[in-house]
Amino acid sequence: MNHPFRILAISGSLRQSSSNTLLMNAIIRLAPSQLTFTTYTGLNDLPHFNPDLDTDHGPLPVQHLRTQIDGADGVLICSPEYGNGVPGALKNALDWIVSSGEFVNKPTAVITASPSPMGGNYANESLLLTLQMINAQVSQQMALTIPHITLKLSKDGTITDPALKQSLKSILQALQQACY
């Protein structure tokens, strides 16, 4: 296939100086030229999920999210872990997609990173369960937990750990292959 694959990148954090947003941007810089990225910036604009509003059209911010996911060939999610789980804003976004189907068979890479030694493993497991339920295409090669992220990523968003850089390149390669 000659055209680049369109990947929607989503950070699960609303925090301005989030290490997961920095990581997401570092991953985008590592990506091969066959992957082009759009960063989803509307996480904070989504209303709280309400089944009564979950219609074919739904609220405008929800329509925007659904359109961006639908138009992407694949998705990259980078998320922290809050309270041993998925951050509420990211879970809210996924709840808006449950009934509409934009994630069905969509290649999706899931990365959780945390300053803790666990690397956000509970959030990662929860994200994988939700994405599996909505039929996203996530393989073991496209899922990663990163412990001690603050020791592997500089404050300006440079990956300082060579093993992590290689793991991320492998995820990008798996995501690209899944998009074919």
Side-chain angles (χ1 to χ4, degrees):
M1 191 165 254
N2 292 337
H3 71 83
F5 295 108
R6 299 172 313 263
I7 307 299
L8 182 63
I10 302 171
S11 171
S13 179
L14 299 177
R15 196 166 57 92
Q16 202 73 6
S17 59
S18 164
S19 56
N20 277 275
T21 301
L22 287 173
L23 176 64
M24 179 187 72
N25 291 324
I27 293 168
I28 291 170
R29 290 190 300 273
L30 283 177
S33 62
Q34 297 88 352
L35 299 178
T36 60
F37 286 82
T38 299
T39 301
Y40 176 68
T41 58
L43 201 61
N44 200 34
D45 301 328
L46 293 169
H48 294 291
F49 176 72
N50 179 343
D52 292 335
L53 301 177
D54 190 15
T55 62
D56 286 342
H57 298 291
L60 193 57
V62 173
Q63 290 177 39
H64 181 64
L65 171 63
R66 289 174 175 172
T67 299
Q68 285 197 299
I69 294 170
D70 193 48
D73 297 308
V75 177
L76 166 68
I77 298 173
C78 291
S79 181
E81 179 175 278
Y82 292 143
N84 285 340
V86 177
L90 179 57
K91 179 64 168 92
N92 183 55
L94 294 175
D95 286 346
W96 280 110
I97 305 302
V98 169
S99 67
S100 59
E102 288 81 12
F103 264 106
V104 172
N105 297 321
K106 185 80 59 176
T108 304
V110 178
I111 299 168
T112 55
S114 172
S116 81
M118 300 301 286
N121 64 327
Y122 294 120
N124 197 280
E125 289 172 18
S126 181
L127 281 168
L128 293 174
L129 284 172
T130 299
L131 290 165
Q132 178 183 14
M133 199 282 301
I134 58 178
N135 294 311
Q137 181 187 347
V138 184
S139 68
Q140 278 188 322
Q141 293 79 25
M142 294 190 297
L144 179 66
T145 59
I146 305 170
H148 304 292
I149 187 62
T150 52
L151 302 177
K152 299 173 183 179
L153 185 71
S154 70
K155 290 189 186 295
D156 70 352
T158 302
I159 299 167
T160 58
D161 182 88
L164 174 58
K165 188 180 280 189
Q166 187 53 51
S167 293
L168 295 171
K169 286 180 179 181
S170 295
I171 286 175
L172 287 166
Q173 185 177 37
L175 182 58
Q176 180 180 337
Q177 288 298 316
C179 287
Y180 275 106

